Amino acid sequence: MTDVHYLRENPARYYEVLGRVMSALRETGALNGASHLDWWPGNGGRTWEIEWQGGPFPAEAAARLLGAPEPGVGDDQGDHAVRGLILPGRGENERAHLVVLDVPVNLRAIDPIGTSQAWATLTLTEG
């Protein structure tokens, strides 16, 4: 991949990527149980950085965005997922890396608890 500053050279595509990823996060429920969602341009306009607190591990959220079904969920949420390439971070709870329309997107969680624990917590508070 060439050294392109997407924000400066193609701002429409750069912001389209953010819109697609944020929409997919909502439509797939990938961040259910998370709080304090934030995002910003990273690496001089070369990437998007998306961060949340609690909720799923970044690899779990990335898998949902790519259409991997959540265990125990029968509906096909992959129809709305962003397609890309996951590159693993150094650890389960550090980062997940996606490439969406040639723009890198980094997912990061602060103090994640994992999808199964987030669902258990949501179920207890609703019941």
Side-chain angles (χ1 to χ4, degrees), residues 8-126:
R8 285 185 240 141
E9 292 187 11
N10 195 345
R13 180 176 219 149
Y14 187 76
Y15 284 101
E16 177 186 358
V17 167
L18 177 64
R20 285 177 179 258
V21 171
M22 298 304 277
S23 177
L25 287 169
R26 184 191 73 241
E27 291 175 9
T28 63
L31 295 183
N32 284 350
S35 61
H36 306 291
L37 179 64
D38 198 8
W39 60 91
W40 61 92
N43 199 17
R46 292 183 182 105
T47 69
W48 278 110
E49 305 292 324
I50 300 175
E51 180 179 84
W52 62 90
Q53 188 166 2
F57 292 106
E60 293 173 322
R64 292 294 301 272
L65 290 178
L66 292 173
E70 182 178 330
V73 177
D75 56 353
D76 181 20
Q77 295 178 349
D79 290 343
H80 304 289
V82 174
R83 302 296 176 201
L85 175 65
I86 295 179
L87 301 173
R90 287 174 288 191
E92 178 179 61
N93 61 354
E94 288 188 15
R95 292 181 186 267
H97 308 286
L98 304 170
V99 178
V100 181
L101 296 174
D102 295 327
V103 176
V105 178
N106 296 310
L107 305 177
R108 179 177 163 212
I110 299 170
D111 299 325
I113 59 175
T115 300
S116 59
Q117 183 63 38
W119 276 107
T121 302
L122 286 172
T123 304
L124 288 175
T125 59
E126 291 175 0

